Amino acid sequence: MEEPQRFDPYDTLSQQSSPTLGRSESKQHIDKDEGKENIIEDAKDSREKTAKTGKETKEAKDGKDKKDLKEKKERKESIGSSKRRTSSAGTASKSGTPRGGARSQTLLINSKIRHIKKKDGEPLWRKDIQYDFLKAVFYDETKAFTNSYDGTPNHTYAEIYVDAMARSSKSSKVLREKLLGDRQAGLNIAMVCLLVNIGRMNTTLNFFPEMRAQLRTYHPIPSLQTYSDPTAYKQLQDAPRLKSILKGACEDRPEPSTLDQLLLQTQIPRTNPINLAFILATYARRVTDDYFVAPYEFYDLIMNVEISSQSRARAFLWLMWVYLESDMSPEQIRSNPFGIGQDNGQKIPSFVTLAPGDVESENVDTDAEKDFAVRMIEERKK
């Protein structure tokens, strides 16, 4: 006989509650799985985002590098183009107006000029200073220049050069009177000043034995000091003071400071001769390109002993007249009072070259000058 089933309230409760419990457990399991999947998805998204960001960063970096390279290339091309424009603009047109796009060049001293260098006490002989050239320049009697200060015409080069020195604010009253009142003394000082003016003589030299200063060397100049009175040799002062006088002539009033500025001047003369000499010495390469015939160049005027002093002086004065007095037109340049130039009159007159024996016949020191040098050397030793 079958045993009747007994009623178990706990079993009934368990059966009633188990579906809910099962669903809860199942939900928890699902939630766990979903959380795991979410974590996996989040990690995956994070990796993708990082990779994407890294890619974007790399692309941005590559783009920046390319941009920098491009800018660097453009700057390089711009600099090269600027140099080409400056070079092409360097030569003024024959009308006297600089070519389009011309820019003022940096003042660079030409490396080919050689300063006169000697030991303390050693004389500067005629050959050292190229006395015959200087004499041919300052004793030329061609009255072809205009005084830039008062506008008076028909002056020699020496007259306008000495006048500019005398007007310098750095010239003392005594020196001014000597320059204007004693022609011989004025020309002697002007000769030394021209050497300083174009860079042939630097500012470490002095010319009278009593002066002793650090970084200064004493050098008598017999050709300029022998034939004056016993105390006149001191009038040459020293190279630093002479350069100060020259600078004063360039700074006391507005003057062009570059070759481009000079060529833009419409007033004739364009500047004073001292300032012009500074400019031409600074832009010697351009001046060579404009007015010299190969193989010669600007500094051959003062240093090339194989060319006659007279022909170098004529070429120098020809050049001074072109820049100071002409309107730069071919017609006016051809009418230069210092001779007919080469290349249809547009370049300096031809040089006269000397045979080896003829070179020795120029710049010959006299016995009186040699005696003077000996006395000054002895004076220096005291």
Side-chain angles (χ1 to χ4, degrees), residues 41-53:
E41 289 294 327
D42 289 345
K44 185 177 180 182
D45 291 344
S46 177
R47 285 195 301 272
E48 290 177 352
K49 187 175 180 181
T50 301
K52 185 177 180 182
T53 303

PDB file of all heavy atoms in Angstrom, residues 41-53:
ATOM      1  N   GLU A  41      35.485  45.235 -23.994  1.00  0.00           N
ATOM      2  CA  GLU A  41      35.197  46.249 -25.008  1.00  0.00           C
ATOM      3  C   GLU A  41      35.898  47.564 -24.683  1.00  0.00           C
ATOM      4  O   GLU A  41      36.440  48.234 -25.551  1.00  0.00           O
ATOM      5  CB  GLU A  41      33.672  46.483 -25.098  1.00  0.00           C
ATOM      6  CG  GLU A  41      32.907  45.342 -25.731  1.00  0.00           C
ATOM      7  CD  GLU A  41      33.266  45.153 -27.189  1.00  0.00           C
ATOM      8  OE1 GLU A  41      33.560  46.172 -27.864  1.00  0.00           O
ATOM      9  OE2 GLU A  41      33.307  44.013 -27.649  1.00  0.00           O
ATOM     10  N   ASP A  42      35.836  47.928 -23.363  1.00  0.00           N
ATOM     11  CA  ASP A  42      36.496  49.176 -22.946  1.00  0.00           C
ATOM     12  C   ASP A  42      37.992  49.102 -23.211  1.00  0.00           C
ATOM     13  O   ASP A  42      38.610  50.076 -23.692  1.00  0.00           O
ATOM     14  CB  ASP A  42      36.256  49.435 -21.450  1.00  0.00           C
ATOM     15  CG  ASP A  42      34.806  49.822 -21.186  1.00  0.00           C
ATOM     16  OD1 ASP A  42      34.104  50.165 -22.182  1.00  0.00           O
ATOM     17  OD2 ASP A  42      34.391  49.782 -20.017  1.00  0.00           O
ATOM     18  N   ALA A  43      38.597  47.974 -22.892  1.00  0.00           N
ATOM     19  CA  ALA A  43      40.028  47.810 -23.127  1.00  0.00           C
ATOM     20  C   ALA A  43      40.345  47.893 -24.610  1.00  0.00           C
ATOM     21  O   ALA A  43      41.318  48.508 -25.035  1.00  0.00           O
ATOM     22  CB  ALA A  43      40.494  46.467 -22.546  1.00  0.00           C
ATOM     23  N   LYS A  44      39.438  47.211 -25.400  1.00  0.00           N
ATOM     24  CA  LYS A  44      39.623  47.237 -26.854  1.00  0.00           C
ATOM     25  C   LYS A  44      39.510  48.660 -27.387  1.00  0.00           C
ATOM     26  O   LYS A  44      40.311  49.125 -28.201  1.00  0.00           O
ATOM     27  CB  LYS A  44      38.578  46.341 -27.510  1.00  0.00           C
ATOM     28  CG  LYS A  44      38.757  46.216 -29.017  1.00  0.00           C
ATOM     29  CD  LYS A  44      37.719  45.260 -29.585  1.00  0.00           C
ATOM     30  CE  LYS A  44      37.891  45.138 -31.097  1.00  0.00           C
ATOM     31  NZ  LYS A  44      36.868  44.248 -31.682  1.00  0.00           N
ATOM     32  N   ASP A  45      38.452  49.383 -26.899  1.00  0.00           N
ATOM     33  CA  ASP A  45      38.271  50.780 -27.319  1.00  0.00           C
ATOM     34  C   ASP A  45      39.462  51.637 -26.923  1.00  0.00           C
ATOM     35  O   ASP A  45      39.911  52.511 -27.678  1.00  0.00           O
ATOM     36  CB  ASP A  45      36.998  51.359 -26.681  1.00  0.00           C
ATOM     37  CG  ASP A  45      35.729  50.732 -27.251  1.00  0.00           C
ATOM     38  OD1 ASP A  45      35.841  50.086 -28.338  1.00  0.00           O
ATOM     39  OD2 ASP A  45      34.659  50.882 -26.646  1.00  0.00           O
ATOM     40  N   SER A  46      39.970  51.363 -25.688  1.00  0.00           N
ATOM     41  CA  SER A  46      41.118  52.137 -25.207  1.00  0.00           C
ATOM     42  C   SER A  46      42.336  51.912 -26.079  1.00  0.00           C
ATOM     43  O   SER A  46      43.048  52.840 -26.436  1.00  0.00           O
ATOM     44  CB  SER A  46      41.427  51.740 -23.756  1.00  0.00           C
ATOM     45  OG  SER A  46      42.564  52.417 -23.303  1.00  0.00           O
ATOM     46  N   ARG A  47      42.548  50.579 -26.451  1.00  0.00           N
ATOM     47  CA  ARG A  47      43.685  50.281 -27.323  1.00  0.00           C
ATOM     48  C   ARG A  47      43.536  50.950 -28.678  1.00  0.00           C
ATOM     49  O   ARG A  47      44.472  51.497 -29.238  1.00  0.00           O
ATOM     50  CB  ARG A  47      43.831  48.767 -27.483  1.00  0.00           C
ATOM     51  CG  ARG A  47      44.414  48.063 -26.255  1.00  0.00           C
ATOM     52  CD  ARG A  47      44.882  46.658 -26.590  1.00  0.00           C
ATOM     53  NE  ARG A  47      43.807  45.817 -27.106  1.00  0.00           N
ATOM     54  CZ  ARG A  47      42.992  45.090 -26.316  1.00  0.00           C
ATOM     55  NH1 ARG A  47      43.135  45.112 -24.994  1.00  0.00           N
ATOM     56  NH2 ARG A  47      42.036  44.350 -26.849  1.00  0.00           N
ATOM     57  N   GLU A  48      42.300  50.870 -29.224  1.00  0.00           N
ATOM     58  CA  GLU A  48      42.054  51.496 -30.525  1.00  0.00           C
ATOM     59  C   GLU A  48      42.251  53.011 -30.455  1.00  0.00           C
ATOM     60  O   GLU A  48      42.827  53.626 -31.350  1.00  0.00           O
ATOM     61  CB  GLU A  48      40.636  51.173 -31.007  1.00  0.00           C
ATOM     62  CG  GLU A  48      40.461  49.704 -31.395  1.00  0.00           C
ATOM     63  CD  GLU A  48      39.019  49.399 -31.788  1.00  0.00           C
ATOM     64  OE1 GLU A  48      38.161  50.301 -31.607  1.00  0.00           O
ATOM     65  OE2 GLU A  48      38.767  48.289 -32.277  1.00  0.00           O
ATOM     66  N   LYS A  49      41.740  53.577 -29.336  1.00  0.00           N
ATOM     67  CA  LYS A  49      41.878  55.028 -29.156  1.00  0.00           C
ATOM     68  C   LYS A  49      43.348  55.421 -29.032  1.00  0.00           C
ATOM     69  O   LYS A  49      43.813  56.395 -29.625  1.00  0.00           O
ATOM     70  CB  LYS A  49      41.124  55.480 -27.913  1.00  0.00           C
ATOM     71  CG  LYS A  49      41.080  56.988 -27.738  1.00  0.00           C
ATOM     72  CD  LYS A  49      40.221  57.356 -26.558  1.00  0.00           C
ATOM     73  CE  LYS A  49      40.182  58.871 -26.390  1.00  0.00           C
ATOM     74  NZ  LYS A  49      39.367  59.267 -25.226  1.00  0.00           N
ATOM     75  N   THR A  50      44.105  54.615 -28.251  1.00  0.00           N
ATOM     76  CA  THR A  50      45.534  54.887 -28.086  1.00  0.00           C
ATOM     77  C   THR A  50      46.266  54.775 -29.409  1.00  0.00           C
ATOM     78  O   THR A  50      47.109  55.605 -29.762  1.00  0.00           O
ATOM     79  CB  THR A  50      46.147  53.903 -27.079  1.00  0.00           C
ATOM     80  OG1 THR A  50      45.460  54.035 -25.828  1.00  0.00           O
ATOM     81  CG2 THR A  50      47.643  54.172 -26.871  1.00  0.00           C
ATOM     82  N   ALA A  51      45.902  53.687 -30.138  1.00  0.00           N
ATOM     83  CA  ALA A  51      46.536  53.498 -31.450  1.00  0.00           C
ATOM     84  C   ALA A  51      46.205  54.640 -32.384  1.00  0.00           C
ATOM     85  O   ALA A  51      47.060  55.160 -33.113  1.00  0.00           O
ATOM     86  CB  ALA A  51      46.077  52.168 -32.046  1.00  0.00           C
ATOM     87  N   LYS A  52      44.906  55.039 -32.328  1.00  0.00           N
ATOM     88  CA  LYS A  52      44.475  56.149 -33.193  1.00  0.00           C
ATOM     89  C   LYS A  52      45.190  57.438 -32.811  1.00  0.00           C
ATOM     90  O   LYS A  52      45.676  58.186 -33.663  1.00  0.00           O
ATOM     91  CB  LYS A  52      42.966  56.324 -33.072  1.00  0.00           C
ATOM     92  CG  LYS A  52      42.406  57.375 -34.025  1.00  0.00           C
ATOM     93  CD  LYS A  52      40.899  57.448 -33.901  1.00  0.00           C
ATOM     94  CE  LYS A  52      40.345  58.505 -34.867  1.00  0.00           C
ATOM     95  NZ  LYS A  52      38.879  58.626 -34.744  1.00  0.00           N
ATOM     96  N   THR A  53      45.268  57.666 -31.488  1.00  0.00           N
ATOM     97  CA  THR A  53      45.944  58.877 -31.007  1.00  0.00           C
ATOM     98  C   THR A  53      47.419  58.855 -31.390  1.00  0.00           C
ATOM     99  O   THR A  53      47.988  59.858 -31.828  1.00  0.00           O
ATOM    100  CB  THR A  53      45.817  58.993 -29.471  1.00  0.00           C
ATOM    101  OG1 THR A  53      44.441  58.991 -29.130  1.00  0.00           O
ATOM    102  CG2 THR A  53      46.483  60.262 -28.963  1.00  0.00           C
TER     103      THR A  53
END
